[in-house]
């Protein structure tokens, strides 16, 4: 069994480094699996926008994670959401064009495993598949229990949120 | 161990941050307006002269917001936007050195802009 920090030290998971404000420590932590990191590096840069908005999907995701790590207010439903079945503790972080799937290890500590374009996910109904992949990855992690936060209330998983 | 960050330029990072903050203020104003019995999204759409779905997309982030539209939305919600620019704080000792053929350049890495945007109630 290992802590999240030990898994990070062994490169089993990676921490998202956020510039944040000067001298300010991250308020929240965003970790990613090797698979998610590879998607950020290889697929995200070339992902097109369904909505043709001024921010590219890469810029949307970078900004979302930056806002997350800085402890910024997160909008329930619009920026993050618990997937069904809710008791499995799988959550998605959202931008206009991208969905990131993972779970909250502790409050304000997200571990992401898969991501994809929102349009593709909805068109092909990839939600169940990604949900399952997150569960399998999490179950296979040599992580000290409890491996995720039980609870579907946003207040349980993040601080500083609002309902639109 | 290594951390990782999505590579976007500081100026685009500043742009994304600003867009997010403006939209968040508008969303907040829209929620407050509806909660207090003020203008709903339908009312805002009627005031501006567009379909409600247009307002929904603009507030949700799946449609761009022009500067003019920001002001229109604010006004329809009983607010007026204010805007100011501030100097970027310069981080001492935060220099990156790049080596190109024949020369060494020191690049001052400054944090992104944090120009505030606020909405005030219309008198």
């Amino acid at each position: 069994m290992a802590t999240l920090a030990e898994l990070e030290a062994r490169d089993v998971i990676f921490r998202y480094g956020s510039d944040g404000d000067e001298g300010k420590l991250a308020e929240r932590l965003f970790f990613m699996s090797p698979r998610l990191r590879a998607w950020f590096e290889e697929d995200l840069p070339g992902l097109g926008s369904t909505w043709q908005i001024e921010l590219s999907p890469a810029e949307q995701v970078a900004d979302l994670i930056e806002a997350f790590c800085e402890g910024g207010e997160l909008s329930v439903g619009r920026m993050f959401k618990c997937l069904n079945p809710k008791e499995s503790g799988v959550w998605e972080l959202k931008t206009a064009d991208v969905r990131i799937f993972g779970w909250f290890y502790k409050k304000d500590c997200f571990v992401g495993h898969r991501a994809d374009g929102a349009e593709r996910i909805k068109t092909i109904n990839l939600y169940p598949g990604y949900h399952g992949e997150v569960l399998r990855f999490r179950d296979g992690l040599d992580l000290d229990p409890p491996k995720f936060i039980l609870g579907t209330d946003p207040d349980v998983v993040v601080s500083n949120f609002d309902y639109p | 161990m290594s951390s990782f960050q999505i590579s976007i330029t500081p100026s685009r990072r500043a742009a994304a941050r600003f867009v997010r903050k403006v939209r968040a203020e508008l969303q907040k104003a829209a929620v407050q307006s509806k909660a207090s019995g003020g203008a709903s999204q339908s009312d805002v759409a009627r005031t501006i002269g567009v379909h409600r779905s247009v307002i929904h997309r603009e507030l949700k982030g799946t449609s761009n917001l022009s500067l003019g539209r920001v002001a229109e939305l604010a006004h329809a919600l009983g607010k007026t936007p204010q805007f100011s620019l501030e100097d970027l704080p310069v981080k001492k000792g935060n220099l990156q050195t790049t080596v190109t053929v024949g020369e060494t350049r020191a690049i001052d890495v400054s944090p992104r802009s944090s120009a505030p945007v606020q909405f005030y109630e219309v008198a």
Side-chain angles (χ1 to χ4, degrees), chain A residues 110-130:
Chain A
F110 184 81
V111 184
H113 175 50
R114 293 303 305 273
D116 205 339
E119 187 65 20
R120 182 167 179 268
I121 292 170
K122 292 173 193 173
T123 302
I124 313 175
N125 191 23
L126 295 175
Y127 276 107
Y130 284 136

Side-chain angles (χ1 to χ4, degrees), chain B residues 98-105:
Chain B
T98 63
V99 178
T100 56
V101 175
E103 64 174 357
T104 300
R105 296 168 61 220

